[in-house]
Amino acid sequence: MIVRKGVVLTTVLVLSVIVLVLVGIMFFMLTSSVQMTGISKRYRSSLEVAKGVSQYLMTLMDSDELCNYTDCTKPDQPIDLGNYTSVGDYRVQAELLRYIVDSRTGAKIYSVEVKVVNTKVPSEHSTVDFVYKVE
């Protein structure tokens, strides 16, 4: 009789440990998934800010006004974004990497880099590089 009680107690304890381990794994997976969802959401938000600023810069390029906001004669020049340097929780920087005027066609070619950094979590950021041609 005593041996059977010992076996039952051992079995119950082993099963309890297994259930506790499974519950712990489920909690770990739940918190990891919530963290990944937050990281993904913040990245998508910063990417949307970068796309919006890029669209604004392309509008300036189309109207031939970008050189009013930066020195187009030199490479790697920061672009003054005015009110767009801060959008919500994001800090935005833009740089004119290169500006070329095609002597044959007169087309203007801009190479730009837009960096967006989350001010609350600086390790989370996005960068958009693009080349834009205005004929």
Side-chain angles (χ1 to χ4, degrees):
M1 217 37 143
I2 295 177
V3 173
R4 286 187 183 176
K5 288 182 181 179
V7 171
V8 170
L9 178 63
T10 305
T11 304
V12 167
L13 288 174
V14 168
L15 289 175
S16 297
V17 168
I18 291 172
V19 168
L20 284 173
V21 167
L22 289 175
V23 168
I25 289 172
M26 286 179 15
F27 277 127
F28 175 75
M29 290 174 54
L30 179 66
T31 56
S32 295
S33 118
V34 168
Q35 287 175 346
M36 291 301 292
T37 301
I39 289 169
S40 175
K41 180 180 178 265
R42 286 188 297 270
Y43 173 72
R44 281 193 316 269
S45 296
S46 70
L47 189 59
E48 288 301 315
V49 170
K51 288 178 183 178
V53 170
S54 299
Q55 191 67 39
Y56 167 70
L57 293 174
M58 287 182 228
T59 303
L60 290 177
M61 292 172 201
D62 283 335
S63 61
D64 202 20
E65 295 179 16
L66 184 68
C67 292
N68 297 337
Y69 298 91
T70 188
D71 185 0
C72 289
T73 62
K74 300 176 186 172
D76 303 321
Q77 293 300 306
I79 300 171
D80 179 17
L81 296 173
N83 294 333
Y84 296 108
T85 56
S86 179
V87 178
D89 292 334
Y90 300 100
R91 187 179 69 248
V92 183
Q93 296 174 324
E95 187 174 312
L96 178 65
L97 302 175
R98 183 87 55 194
Y99 171 71
I100 300 169
V101 177
D102 187 349
S103 58
R104 287 183 301 124
T105 62
K108 298 173 182 174
I109 303 168
Y110 301 87
S111 175
V112 177
E113 178 178 73
V114 178
K115 294 180 184 178
V116 178
V117 177
N118 187 336
T119 55
K120 292 183 178 179
V121 186
S123 63
E124 294 179 6
H125 61 279
S126 63
T127 303
V128 173
D129 293 316
F130 66 93
V131 176
Y132 193 71
K133 182 178 179 180
V134 179
E135 295 189 44

